[in-house]
């Protein structure tokens, strides 16, 4: 018997059951009597959000100051795993200092559509880069003994109806895109915990999906950590436990624990399942506690500098014509736009945190100038718009713009346009910003637009403006990094990890209906769609300029052993600037039996080169670089044939290519139906992504069950019950609470998020998150009433509250 068995032996059933949920909002269960620690968990992902006062998970209450690093959109555009490892180490030290054992992140959900409100917290539309960068971050954090919680597992790609929506997706797409983001991180970095998502996946809630949590996660990928639910994501707790869900969070109601207790007593649940789960929990918390005992500290200024370094590698120079950039220090410039002084540097929602320090672009530019002996008088400033998005003092703004060499206009997406809790409706920036760009550009064509947003936007003025910088949500020190880039003290080196599209064709099936979202586009997500059909985009995946230019010499391939190829080439910096550059390798299968998007990213490397310096780069390709997931063999297979190896600076800027003949695996033969589906997806026309239901069902291997006109259940949003008497009353109460909560908020994004989250709230959510004000038993009674059984409902409530 080992030590853990010994501990289990000493625990009563009640004590064991208490491990099925969190101890409270932000702590995991421990057991003082036996010296088992309670570990604190907090959001994540781009900084430690430890709340000082009352609890909430929507970022409503303030948190203790900690370093606010850039959000994942920018992290992804660094294409630099080493830097993310360093960020992970820094985050872990802050956790040590604040006695936080698990950081709830990173979020690795794929950006299925640019409209997902939470995209700023996710890395990319590509699973390869997502998993490489997230693995580095997890490894960095865990290298200091702090746990991570890889989230949200899985296919949580939208905010609309996130608590209940059923994601219908075929297995190949699921494996190749949505699960792959998690797979590599689990296998290579073993996150100590993983957070299951709110949504359902092919009919079953992720928090009780045995296939997902046990078959795939533990048995196939070898995950040996702890699975926790997203906050309030439990549906059926007993089913969840059986499926592999260890802990219900936040665990403020203990009713579900009672259900587990009863299930064990009634022999509906085998105690060994609970024992296994507790062992996993104890192993993880012991490891973390050991690390926390080291009581490491951190240097806020050093972390601020690291946040700046990361921002500086992730800010993307989208356009630079007529050498409008860099600005020469000493040139007379105007900085316009409120965001230059009040930066938009992080997103709204559960990740919203309190920075230790906050730089702003205007001050950072003034210091760059002053450092070279030029006073602040060389830089004019006007806010141009206010926090309500009204244009202000436009004549004065134009007057300033007219009299300077160059104008830098800072605009972006305010919180009400993107946040956790709701999706975006369109790609447009607020109209006031588009108007400002055009009006200012008319009086001074040397204009540089600096954007602060977490996801792609439309730029109707793109051809009129010589300079565009995508600053993303660059964190607390990002403004200083931006100033250094603008002044040419550093070359930009970030590249987009997402497409900036001109149209929303690829988002045709996003965000689905009230209860279901069908991923009919299959593998045609992001650049996989735009590149396959040569559709024009605003800026392609992988795009990003530097202040230099680079040459890539022809590729040389060597076959090391079975399934390992080295692609070698020489890269040379042709310009006068030292700069980092990102080398991207895409694999393009030729004429295969299965349908494949035109190309997919399979390797990359960021290198640093001084003027005229050259370097030999080697990128390795393994079996996965050529493989597809076969739903018949249930394995990764490779089709024999030619694969084009393409190396370049973006998915649309390929410099060198070469063909590679590959002897594949023994792929299973296709039935006629399978062949029909593959051909259909291969031959989708250029202009639209209209997929017939019947075809998608063949791909799926079953029919899509449309849920219509069924009786209300605990997962029906109360909003939808509002036409019944009890629904009206409940909805009134919820709306009143919503108004009360949102009126306390100064941040408009937060207000909108509270309103959206509560408009989707269900009876189940109420029972789980109202701290006992509405119990599950009451919820069941209300449900009876909403379904027209008033007497039964009242009896249920009375009987169960007695
Ligand atoms: C979010 C998670 C977050 C949790 C705790 C949820 O609403 O989806 O990402 O970690 O709250 O704040």
């Amino acid at each position: 018997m080992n030590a853990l068995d010994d501990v289990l032996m000493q625990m009563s059933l009640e004590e064991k059951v208490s491990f099925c949920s969190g101890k409270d909002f932000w702590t995991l269960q421990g057991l003082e009597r036996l010296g088992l620690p309670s570990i604190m968990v907090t959001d994540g992902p781009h900084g430690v959000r430890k709340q000082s006062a009352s609890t909430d998970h929507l970022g409503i209450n303030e948190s203790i100051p900690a370093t606010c690093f850039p959000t994942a959109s920018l992290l992804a555009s660094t294409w630099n795993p080493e830097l993310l490892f360093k960020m992970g180490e820094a985050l872990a030290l802050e956790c040590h200092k604040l006695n936080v054992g698990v950081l709830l992140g990173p979020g690795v959900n794929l950006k299925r559509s640019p409209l997902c409100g939470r995209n700023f917290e996710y890395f990319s539309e590509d699973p390869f880069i997502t998993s490489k960068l997230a693995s580095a971050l997890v490894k960095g954090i865990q290298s200091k003994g702090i746990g991570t919680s890889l989230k949200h597992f899985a296919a949580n790609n939208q905010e609309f109806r996130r608590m209940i929506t059923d994601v219908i997706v075929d297995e190949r797409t699921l494996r190749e895109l949505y699960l792959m983001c998690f797979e590599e991180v689990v296998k290579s970095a073993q996150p100590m915990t993983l957070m299951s998502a709110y949504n359902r996946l092919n009919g079953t809630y992720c928090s009780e999906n045995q296939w997902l949590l046990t078959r795939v996660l533990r048995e196939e990928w070898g995950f040996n950590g702890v699975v926790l639910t997203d906050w309030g994501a439990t549906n059926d707790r007993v089913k969840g436990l059986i499926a592999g869900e260890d802990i219900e969070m936040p665990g403020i109601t203990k009713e579900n624990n009672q259900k587990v207790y009863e299930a064990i007593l009634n022999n509906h649940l085998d105690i060994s399942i609970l024992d296994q789960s507790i062992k996993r929990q104890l192993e993880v918390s012991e490891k973390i506690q050991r690390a926390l005992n080291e009581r490491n500290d951190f240097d806020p200024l050093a972390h601020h500098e690291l946040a700046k370094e990361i921002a500086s590698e992730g800010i993307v120079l989208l356009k630079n014509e007529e050498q409008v950039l860099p600005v020469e220090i000493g040139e007379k410039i105007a900085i316009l736009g409120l965001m230059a002084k009040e930066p938009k540097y992080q997103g709204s929602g559960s990740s919203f945190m309190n920075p230790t320090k906050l730089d702003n672009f205007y001050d950072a530019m003034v210091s760059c100038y002053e450092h070279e002996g030029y006073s602040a008088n060389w830089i004019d400033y006007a806010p141009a718009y206010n926090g309500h998005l009204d244009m202000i003092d436009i004549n004065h703004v134009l007057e300033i713009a007219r009299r300077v060499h160059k104008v830098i206009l800072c605009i972006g997406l305010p919180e009400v346009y993107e946040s956790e809790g709701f999706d975006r409706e369109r790609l447009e920036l607020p109209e006031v910003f588009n108007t400002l760009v055009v009006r200012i550009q008319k009086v001074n064509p040397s204009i540089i637009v600096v954007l602060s947003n977490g996801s792609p936007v439309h730029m109707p003025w793109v051809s009129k403006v010589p300079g565009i910088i995508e600053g993303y949500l660059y964190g607390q020190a990002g403004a200083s990094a931006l100033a250094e880039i603008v002044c040419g003290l550093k070359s930009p080196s970030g590249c987009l990890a997402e497409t900036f599209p001109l149209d929303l064709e690829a988002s045709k099936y996003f965000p689905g209906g009230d209860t279901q979202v069908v991923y009919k586009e299959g593998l045609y997500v992001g650049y996989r769609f735009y590149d396959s059909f040569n559709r024009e985009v605003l800026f392609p995946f992988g795009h990003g300029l530097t202040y230099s230019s680079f040459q890539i010499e022809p590729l040389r391939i060597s076959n090391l052993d079975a399934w390992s190829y080295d692609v070698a080439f020489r890269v040379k910096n042709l310009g006068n600037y030292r700069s980092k550059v990102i080398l991207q390798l895409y694999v393009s299968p030729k004429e295969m039996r299965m349908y494949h998007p035109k190309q997919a990213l399979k390797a990359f490397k960021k290198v640093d080169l001084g003027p005229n310096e050259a370097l030999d780069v080697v990128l390795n390709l393994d079996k996965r670089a050529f493989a597809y997931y076969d739903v018949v063999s249930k394995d990764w297979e490779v089709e024999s044939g030619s694969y084009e190896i393409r190396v370049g600076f973006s998915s649309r800027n390929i410099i060198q290519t070469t063909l590679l003949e590959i002897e594949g695996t023994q792929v299973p033969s296709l039935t006629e139906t399978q062949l029909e589906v593959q051909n259909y997806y291969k031959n989708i026309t250029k202009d639209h992504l209209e997929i017939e239901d019947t075809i998608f069902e063949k791909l799926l291997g079953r029919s899509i069950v449309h849920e219509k006109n069924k009786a209300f259940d605990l997962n029906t949003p109360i909003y939808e019950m509002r036409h019944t008497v009890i629904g009206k009353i409940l909805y009134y109460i919820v709306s009143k609470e919503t108004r009360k909560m949102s009126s306390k908020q100064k941040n408009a994004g937060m207000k909108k998020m509270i309103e959206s989250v509560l408009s989707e709230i269900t009876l189940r959510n109420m029972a789980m998150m109202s701290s006992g004000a509405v119990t599950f038993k009451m919820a069941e009674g209300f449900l009876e009433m909403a379904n027209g059984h008033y007497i039964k409902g009242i009896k249920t409530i009375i009987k169960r509250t007695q």
Side-chain angles (χ1 to χ4, degrees):
M1 193 161 56
N2 65 27
L4 288 179
D5 290 315
D6 193 37
V7 172
L8 278 175
M9 288 273 290
Q10 297 177 54
M11 285 165 84
S12 67
L13 181 57
E14 284 83 352
E15 284 172 337
K16 284 185 176 178
V17 167
S18 71
F19 277 80
C20 289
S21 67
K23 182 172 169 205
D24 57 37
F25 221 88
W26 299 118
T27 28
L28 305 182
Q29 188 64 43
L31 196 56
E32 235 176 279
R33 184 174 76 78
L34 298 178
L36 305 174
S38 297
I39 297 293
M40 174 154 215
V41 304
T42 72
D43 287 298
H46 57 266
V48 186
R49 189 174 77 92
K50 178 170 173 175
Q51 286 187 328
S52 46
S54 49
T55 50
D56 81 84
H57 68 298
L58 299 176
I60 299 166
N61 293 308
E62 282 240 319
S63 56
I64 296 173
T67 310
C68 179
F69 288 94
T71 78
S73 300
L74 183 143
L75 299 182
S77 51
T78 66
W79 297 59
N80 188 338
E82 289 80 27
L83 205 48
L84 265 72
F85 184 90
K86 277 206 222 166
M87 170 173 157
E89 290 177 310
L91 284 170
L93 289 184
E94 302 202 11
C95 286
H96 274 265
K97 165 85 179 169
L98 298 174
N99 203 27
V100 167
V102 177
L103 197 67
L104 301 173
V108 291
N109 298 98
L110 197 81
K111 298 185 187 193
R112 174 174 175 245
S113 161
L115 295 180
C116 171
R118 214 173 170 178
N119 275 0
F120 69 90
E121 258 191 89
Y122 300 143
F123 290 85
S124 174
E125 65 191 27
D126 178 84
F128 183 81
I129 184 167
T130 297
S131 56
K132 292 290 173 209
L133 295 176
S135 297
L137 190 58
V138 169
K139 284 181 191 165
I141 297 173
Q142 297 201 162
S143 69
K144 301 250 172 276
I146 297 299
T148 52
S149 200
L150 193 66
K151 65 190 188 183
H152 309 88
F153 193 55
N156 180 183
N157 310 102
Q158 64 189 54
E159 293 301 283
F160 177 65
R161 297 280 164 116
R162 67 173 172 164
M163 301 275 182
I164 55 170
T165 199
D166 188 9
V167 173
I168 309 293
V169 54
D170 68 278
E171 190 176 359
R172 177 175 171 209
T173 304
L174 183 62
R175 295 278 194 166
E176 289 186 25
L177 297 185
Y178 302 99
L179 292 188
M180 189 185 149
C181 295
F182 292 87
E183 181 182 354
E184 155 90 12
V185 189
V186 167
K187 287 181 171 168
S188 75
Q190 275 291 347
M192 290 194 216
T193 83
L194 173 140
M195 188 188 292
S196 62
Y198 285 123
N199 52 285
R200 287 178 281 170
L201 177 60
N202 288 325
T204 309
Y205 275 99
C206 291
S207 62
E208 61 197 44
N209 196 318
Q210 185 144 26
W211 178 82
L212 193 64
L213 301 184
T214 298
R215 259 280 296 286
V216 174
L217 180 66
R218 294 193 195 280
E219 293 171 6
E220 282 184 33
W221 299 349
F223 178 71
N224 54 27
V226 168
V227 179
L228 15 127
T229 65
D230 198 342
W231 268 231
T234 299
N235 179 51
D236 181 321
R237 185 63 190 104
V238 177
K239 267 195 198 161
L241 199 60
I242 296 171
E245 179 77 65
D246 295 300
I247 306 176
E248 166 184 339
M249 288 306 285
I252 44 180
T253 156
K254 302 296 174 198
E255 282 183 273
N256 277 331
N257 285 1
Q258 182 60 27
K259 288 181 190 163
V260 172
Y261 185 80
E262 283 160 17
I264 292 173
L265 291 186
N266 299 334
N267 290 327
H268 292 146
L269 177 68
D270 192 333
I271 183 83
S272 65
I273 294 181
L274 182 54
D275 285 349
Q276 281 307 323
S277 166
I278 298 173
K279 277 191 191 170
R280 291 194 282 263
Q281 295 184 41
L282 296 184
E283 265 169 18
V284 163
S285 39
E286 240 183 25
K287 218 188 288 175
I288 293 171
Q289 193 54 51
R290 233 179 297 129
L292 286 176
N293 289 343
E294 288 171 19
R295 304 219 167 276
N296 281 314
D297 206 345
F298 76 100
D299 171 1
L301 283 181
H303 285 192
H304 186 77
E305 279 306 306
L306 177 61
K308 179 172 146 195
E309 186 188 345
I310 296 168
S312 150
E313 285 214 12
I315 288 170
V316 185
L317 177 58
L318 293 174
K319 186 172 176 191
N320 191 15
E321 278 178 4
E322 298 143 34
Q323 297 207 321
V324 70
L325 279 163
V327 161
E328 206 173 300
I329 295 181
E331 272 183 303
K332 189 101 176 85
I333 57 166
I335 296 181
L336 302 175
L338 186 65
M339 286 184 192
K341 284 203 175 175
E342 292 181 17
K344 173 83 179 27
Y345 64 101
Q346 63 168 328
S348 293
S350 59
S351 66
F352 187 79
M353 53 167 306
N354 198 2
T356 55
K357 189 171 181 251
L358 183 57
D359 294 351
N360 74 65
F361 180 59
Y362 173 79
D363 288 347
M365 285 296 286
V366 168
S367 356
C368 289
Y369 267 55
E370 283 178 348
H371 193 258
E372 295 298 315
Y374 293 90
S375 77
N377 293 337
W378 291 86
I379 305 178
D380 273 333
Y381 168 76
Y385 53 88
N386 62 21
H388 301 291
L389 299 180
D390 308 312
M391 207 182 287
I392 48 174
D393 290 340
I394 185 66
N395 290 333
H396 174 60
V397 168
L398 297 178
E399 181 49 42
I400 294 180
R402 229 176 250 125
R403 62 174 189 236
V404 293
H405 278 119
K406 287 174 186 166
V407 176
I408 304 170
L409 175 63
C410 298
I411 56 177
L413 283 179
E415 288 88 0
V416 280
Y417 279 73
E418 65 177 344
S419 165
E420 176 180 346
F422 56 88
D423 292 317
R424 293 167 66 194
E425 281 155 27
R426 53 188 77 87
L427 290 174
E428 272 68 32
L429 284 160
E431 202 37 52
V432 60
F433 294 153
N434 289 335
T435 309
L436 273 172
V437 177
V438 174
R439 292 193 67 178
I440 295 169
Q441 173 275 332
K442 279 198 180 126
V443 302
N444 189 340
S446 289
I447 175 173
I448 299 146
V449 174
V450 171
L451 292 159
S452 295
N453 42 285
S455 47
V457 291
H458 268 171
M459 303 177 204
W461 32 260
V462 64
S463 60
K464 301 196 177 103
V465 167
I468 307 174
I469 298 178
E470 179 50 81
Y472 278 121
L473 301 178
Y474 49 47
Q476 67 177 50
S480 298
L482 180 64
E484 288 185 1
I485 288 176
V486 166
C487 293
L489 302 174
K490 218 168 177 188
S491 171
S493 65
C495 284
L496 298 177
E498 60 192 337
T499 308
F500 274 46
L502 283 170
D503 59 66
L504 284 170
E505 188 65 22
S507 295
K508 194 164 230 138
Y509 302 104
F510 174 96
D514 283 347
T515 54
Q516 204 173 52
V517 46
V518 186
Y519 287 23
K520 283 193 193 174
E521 71 283 350
L523 297 169
Y524 292 128
V525 171
Y527 72 89
R528 285 170 164 74
F529 169 72
Y530 292 100
D531 289 354
S532 297
F533 305 112
N534 292 323
R535 279 180 92 91
E536 207 189 321
V537 295
L538 180 58
F539 295 107
F541 178 87
H543 172 74
L545 308 171
T546 67
Y547 289 151
S548 200
S549 62
F550 296 85
Q551 181 188 55
I552 298 176
E553 291 180 7
L555 312 179
R556 288 163 279 128
I557 301 204
S558 45
N559 187 188
L560 303 176
D561 50 52
W563 302 124
S564 180
Y565 295 87
D566 269 353
V567 180
F569 53 90
R570 176 160 265 251
V571 55
K572 187 165 183 211
N573 183 345
L574 303 176
N576 300 324
Y577 253 95
R578 161 167 290 279
S579 177
K580 291 194 174 176
V581 65
I582 297 161
L583 302 151
Q584 307 167 25
L585 188 157
Y586 299 82
V587 172
S588 173
K590 302 281 157 210
E591 286 164 31
M592 301 285 160
R593 208 181 43 134
M594 306 297 290
Y595 93 93
H596 294 270
K598 177 176 174 188
Q599 56 181 352
L601 182 77
K602 296 296 173 183
F604 63 87
K605 194 168 178 80
K606 191 168 195 174
V607 298
D608 189 8
L609 291 175
N612 291 316
E613 206 183 325
L615 188 76
D616 286 318
V617 174
V618 181
L619 299 174
N620 185 263
L621 297 175
D622 60 11
K623 180 179 173 192
R624 274 294 179 89
F626 308 98
Y628 74 96
Y629 186 83
D630 194 286
V631 294
V632 176
S633 69
K634 298 266 171 236
D635 205 350
W636 295 88
E637 306 286 359
V638 178
E639 295 189 73
S640 297
S642 323
Y643 291 78
E644 190 175 44
I645 309 300
R646 305 158 62 84
V647 174
F649 301 117
S650 85
S651 83
R652 295 280 175 104
N653 186 9
I654 300 295
I655 308 295
Q656 296 288 355
T657 64
T658 185
L659 269 188
L660 185 59
E661 287 300 320
I662 293 219
E663 175 87 37
T665 55
Q666 291 276 327
V667 296
S669 51
L670 293 181
T671 62
E672 246 171 60
T673 312
Q674 286 164 339
L675 207 55
E676 181 200 352
V677 177
Q678 295 306 317
N679 288 335
Y680 184 97
Y681 272 84
K682 270 184 204 167
N683 296 321
I684 287 171
T685 69
K686 276 190 178 28
D687 312 316
H688 64 291
L689 191 57
E690 200 68 65
I691 315 275
E692 290 164 24
D693 266 1
T694 48
I695 284 289
F696 181 74
E697 288 179 338
K698 285 178 187 166
L699 183 69
L700 196 60
R702 62 185 162 86
S703 51
I704 312 167
V705 185
H706 296 281
E707 291 180 348
K708 272 198 200 125
N709 299 332
K710 62 178 182 71
F712 298 134
D713 61 27
L714 287 178
N715 290 318
T716 312
I718 287 162
Y719 175 79
E720 281 172 21
M721 299 177 182
R722 73 194 186 288
H723 304 299
T724 67
V725 176
I726 185 68
K728 201 174 278 163
I729 298 171
L730 290 170
Y731 189 61
Y732 172 78
I733 297 170
V734 168
S735 310
K736 206 168 135 205
E737 273 310 302
T738 310
R739 275 196 300 276
K740 214 158 79 193
M741 277 170 84
S742 88
S743 69
K744 288 189 203 145
Q745 272 304 313
K746 283 187 233 105
N747 179 315
M750 229 46 121
K751 269 183 199 289
K752 189 167 169 188
M753 181 178 75
I754 295 169
E755 282 155 25
S756 326
V757 168
L758 294 188
S759 79
E760 294 190 355
I761 205 163
T762 62
L763 279 169
R764 168 169 64 94
N765 300 144
M766 268 181 123
M768 293 189 62
M769 305 299 279
S770 66
S771 301
V774 175
T775 62
F776 264 103
K777 290 156 187 181
M778 287 157 78
E780 277 157 22
F782 293 144
L783 183 64
E784 290 287 0
M785 293 188 207
N787 280 322
H789 315 300
Y790 275 85
I791 305 212
K792 199 168 163 201
I794 291 168
K795 276 191 188 154
T796 310
I797 294 175
I798 296 174
K799 195 166 73 203
R800 304 234 168 128
T801 44
Q802 271 167 359

